[in-house]
Structure formats: structure tokens, C-alpha cells
Amino acid sequence: MRADARWMSVAVALGRRGLGRTAPNPSVGAVLVRPGTGDGTVVGRGWTQPGGRPHAEAMALAQAGDRARGSTLYVTLEPCSHHGRTPPCVEAVIAAGVARAVVAAADPDPRVNGRGFAMLRQAGVPVTFGVGGDDARELNAGHVSRVVRGRPHVTLKLAVSSDGKAGLAGRRPVAITGELSRAYVHMLRAQSDAIMVGIGTVLADDPDLTCRLPGLADRSPSRVALDSDLKLPPASKLAASASAVPTTVISAADAPTDRERQLVARGVMVLRVARANGHVDLTETLALLGAQGVTRLFVEGGPTLAAALLRADLVDEVVLGQAPAPLGPDAIAALDALPLAAITASERFAPVDERTIGPDVWRRFTRA
């Protein structure tokens, strides 16, 4: 139905408000609509709040009050059916007298996984499933990945010159894309639970890895540096600001303990994993981040880490920005020894979106 599609698009838009703030819970959007003229009247709306509570349904029901009775609930994910820190949302929906539920996607969490639908139907609440499913799956990609695969949804961001390069000779950093593109990347950071870079990028750039859009400083994701041998300087921006922005270093099990003590003293969390080919094991690293509650991981650098993740088949989405100017034959390739065709012409990835931002062209690819 046209009205169902319309109201579900509103629920999806509400769910996007919580991206990057609700981990380890999914960011869900919900709308309660009473019958009336046209497509009906909204009496309640909600989205998962920071830290994962309250849930979207609870927020919408509280806003609607008695007006929830006889309404239709539009929600992006199957309502929870288990007792946690709060009672199950599905019980609240039934108790409020909601007459119908339109749900975009199922929740693979074994504590839910169809039980929410079953409880609604057993209570006489008809369920329409799958409206807005593609948008909801994108919204819930981090939650689904963590539940099903035990690791975050990994988005690899690359900014490259027209000739496919990402840095100057000698691994010197350079601004490739324009100011508007940098604002776009900061927005993507704000929608992520964590941002990850390799130690090479940290040593070359000494980045902040925060969200610097006006009014969104508190949306900065936690920061993760892969640092097999604990080379991160205690005076670096990441370590110096660790007390303000959560910062984790993933090191190898045999990295020096004295360096760990120096970083821990600055507020850095140091976690250790096994080595694989001389570096931290990426599969174990992602599983560890998943266990820490990270659902959406944004990877920004550099060429060595990007290529390693692609080789290990651990990339779920690529956001590729290309500037109009070249950097020249001596510049550093964006994917180490891999060509950009490993993304743009790979059977593993499908192009899903393209946009022009200032002078730059940004393309998005997802797993095919």
C-alpha cells in the first residue's frame, strides 16, 4: 500500500537519527498512525535513544498515550520479545491496543528471531512484513552483522586522486578531496560506532579522528588504531585525547608491556590479539570489536590496512571519493599493491549510489 510505504520511510528516517549512538543495540525507528483523512495522522514517533534505551517503540507509545489504541505501528525492526533492562516492546505494543503492525525487517537476534511476530499475531494484532525492507536492512546492517557474523559491519572509506593515488611519495599526507567532501566524511563518522586506522596513518598524519561538524562534536565515534608493536606515541593526538574520546589500540600479544603501560596511563585501552603474517590478526580483531559492542565500523586508513581487509574479505561496504586532479606516478596507490578495480570491477561489490560533492565524485559499493 502507498500509505504503508510512506509511513515506513518516515520510520527509517527516524531510525537513522540514532546511528552511531545506540550500540550495541540497533538504531530503530517507529511511527504510530491513527486512521483519518488521507493517509492518517501521526500520534507517536520514536527512535532508539543513546546507549540503546529507551527503544523506538517505547518512545512512540509514550508520546501517543491513549491515542495509540487502534493505531498502526510502523517499525523498522521486529519488536523485541525478551526481558532485558526493560520489558519487551512487543508486550507494550499489545497492551497499548495497537491494531496493526507493519514491520520492515526481522531481528536475527536469537532472543527475538520471529518471537515478536508470533506474540503479536497470537494477541490478534495483524502483521504486515517487508515494507521498506531494503532500507531497513541497510539501517540494521551493523546489528545484523554483529549478531550473525560476530563482527561489525565494515565500511571502508577511500579518498583517491583521478589517477587512483592516496598520498604523496614517501607516504606524505595530502588533502585530496575538497572541503565539502570532508564534511560528508565527518557525517559518515558521526553515523559510526567506531573509526579504525592503521598505525602507519597515525604516524604519518597524527589525526584526531573526531567529528568536527558544527554541533556534532558529541557524535564522534570511538577510535581504534591497529598497532601490532605499540608504536603509538603517548604524545600523539589519539593518546593525548583518550580521556575525552574513547580510544582503543589493538596490538599483538607479544608487543612490549612497557609501551602498553605508557598508553594506559593516558587513558588508552590496549587489547591484544594474535599475529597473522606479522600484523594483528584482522579476523580476531573484528570479532573482539564485536564483543565490545561495536556494530558499525568505519575504516579510514591507510592503503596497507585497506588492502589487507579486502584480501581477507572483511569489507562489507566501500565509500570511494575521487578528486578531479592527479597526484602523479610517484604517489602512493590507494590500495597498496591492489588496483582500484579490486573494488570497482570486482564481482564481490555492486555499485549502489553515486553523488557529486563539490568537485569530487563519491561512489558507494556494497557486497554483491
Side-chain angles (χ1 to χ4, degrees), residues 119-323:
M119 291 174 67
L120 287 169
R121 290 178 174 130
Q122 287 168 6
V125 180
V127 176
T128 300
F129 173 72
V131 177
D134 289 344
D135 289 338
R137 280 186 286 275
E138 182 178 320
L139 179 66
N140 299 319
H143 171 68
V144 171
S145 182
R146 181 173 178 266
V147 169
V148 174
R149 294 182 290 193
R151 66 165 178 83
H153 176 86
V154 176
T155 297
L156 174 63
K157 169 257 171 179
L158 296 172
V160 303
S161 60
S162 62
D163 51 352
K165 304 300 176 69
L168 299 175
R171 296 196 175 271
R172 290 175 293 147
V174 60
I176 296 174
T177 53
E179 196 65 34
L180 289 175
S181 286
R182 283 190 284 278
Y184 172 62
V185 171
H186 280 254
M187 182 196 72
L188 295 176
R189 287 181 180 182
Q191 296 177 338
S192 304
D193 300 334
I195 180 170
M196 186 169 78
V197 296
I199 187 61
T201 295
V202 176
L203 295 178
D205 298 356
D206 193 21
D208 289 295
L209 299 182
T210 54
C211 176
R212 294 189 292 279
L213 292 176
L216 293 182
D218 64 337
R219 298 290 294 263
S220 293
S222 64
R223 304 172 301 188
V224 179
L226 302 190
D227 185 7
S228 302
D229 299 302
L230 288 178
K231 296 179 180 178
L232 179 68
S236 65
K237 291 179 181 176
L238 291 185
S241 61
S243 59
V245 182
T247 304
T248 300
V249 168
I250 309 290
S251 69
D254 58 353
T257 56
D258 59 328
R259 295 180 185 173
E260 176 178 349
R261 286 193 292 270
Q262 294 175 32
L263 293 174
V264 170
R266 301 304 301 267
V268 176
M269 176 184 289
V270 177
L271 301 175
R272 295 175 179 262
V273 299
R275 283 187 188 267
N277 301 316
H279 303 285
V280 294
D281 184 284
L282 292 175
T283 300
E284 188 177 342
T285 293
L286 294 184
L288 184 59
L289 292 176
Q292 294 285 317
V294 176
T295 67
R296 299 170 66 91
L297 181 65
F298 193 59
V299 181
E300 283 207 43
T304 302
L305 175 57
L309 286 166
L310 287 167
R311 290 191 183 99
D313 194 22
L314 293 172
V315 176
D316 303 303
E317 183 176 348
V318 180
V319 181
L320 174 62
Q322 194 152 26

